[in-house]
Amino acid sequence: MAFDGLDPDAPRFYDELAADNTREWWLAHKARYDAVVRGPFEALAAELEPEFGQLKIFRPNRDVRFSADKSPYKLHIGMVSLAPVAFYLQLSASGMLVGGGAYDVPPAALARFRELVDDDRRGPEVEGLLAALAEDDLVPMSEDALRTAPRGYPVDHPRIGLLRLKHLAVGRTEPLADWMWGPEVFDIVSDAWRGVGMWNGWLAQNLGDLLIRPDRERPGRRG
């Protein structure tokens, strides 16, 4: 299908799913999911792939094996590029998350990142890149950063905020807005992902193969 915008019924779909997250509700509304949620997302992915590479749309089912929350379906739809450092897009009832980087970071890669941040020459380089991205509201994803300094680093380190990061991803959230339901969403996401591409390039250049887990092709972003 040609892309002419996401569907404004998609947030309503997730609002209703949150109220009745059951297999029965899902099966009764599966055709609606395909039409107003997944279909437009697939069309947007097809438009983005020539510039940003192959994109995967995550399945709607949650992995509940190790979770206390046994609700079977995710309350958002996400897409991610297939690379050790990735582009990511998510839509939910509350809005959009656009970003990327490395989310599930292997310990060796995180240790190397902290070494670079600690370095008096390389650390300011990282700060400068992130400051430039922040001008477009692309900021580190720090929702579950360490509460204190990682072992071996002082709590008053001048770049302690970066040392506390557990995910090497950047992003911004967008509240629901009319532009999401028109073709301009392609331009807005593309512009944001070009900024993310600067961060991905730095990660690839400086962490390289350390970002690849031995048990998987790439460290994936939450779907």
Side-chain angles (χ1 to χ4, degrees), residues 36-214:
V36 307
V37 180
R38 189 176 184 97
F41 230 59
E42 289 177 338
L44 176 57
E47 294 286 326
L48 292 166
E49 282 183 336
E51 180 173 356
F52 300 101
Q54 184 180 356
L55 295 166
K56 167 190 173 183
I57 296 178
F58 287 99
R59 65 179 187 174
N61 307 76
R62 295 181 63 248
D63 184 352
V64 301
R65 291 174 298 172
F66 308 108
S67 175
D69 177 6
K70 299 301 183 182
S71 54
Y73 301 104
K74 299 170 185 173
L75 299 180
H76 61 264
I77 185 170
M79 70 170 74
V80 68
S81 63
L82 308 181
V85 286
F87 300 100
Y88 183 74
L89 183 69
Q90 176 179 299
L91 180 69
S92 69
S94 61
M96 180 179 288
L97 169 63
V98 55
Y103 195 82
D104 184 10
V105 185
L110 191 57
R112 178 56 179 158
F113 174 77
R114 289 170 176 164
E115 290 175 359
L116 294 171
V117 168
D118 182 49
D119 184 87
D120 288 338
R121 181 178 63 88
R122 301 300 305 278
E125 171 190 310
V126 182
E127 282 188 310
L129 174 55
L130 289 171
L133 296 180
E135 294 181 4
D136 290 326
D137 297 320
L138 294 167
V139 298
M141 295 182 181
S142 57
E143 66 273 13
D144 60 351
L146 297 175
R147 294 183 179 181
T148 186
R151 182 175 299 178
Y153 296 97
V155 295
D156 60 349
H157 193 286
R159 292 175 290 279
I160 187 61
L162 297 181
L163 291 172
R164 288 174 175 163
L165 293 176
K166 294 168 65 177
H167 310 300
L168 304 183
V170 298
R172 73 172 187 242
T173 56
E174 300 277 4
L176 295 176
D178 288 343
W179 57 262
M180 296 178 184
W181 324 130
E184 58 265 40
V185 67
F186 166 78
D187 294 320
I188 292 173
V189 172
S190 294
D191 286 344
W193 274 5
R194 292 182 189 113
V196 172
M198 297 170 58
W199 178 242
N200 287 354
W202 187 92
L203 290 175
Q205 180 178 359
N206 290 279
L207 303 183
D209 290 344
L210 293 175
L211 290 167
I212 302 175
R213 287 187 178 274

Side-chain angles (χ1 to χ4, degrees), residues 1-31:
M1 61 183 292
F3 180 72
D4 58 4
L6 300 175
D7 195 306
D9 190 37
R12 292 191 290 268
F13 175 90
Y14 283 115
D15 264 333
E16 295 170 28
L17 177 60
D20 189 4
N21 197 328
T22 63
R23 184 172 184 271
E24 291 74 21
W25 189 94
W26 179 268
L27 291 177
H29 294 82
K30 176 63 164 57

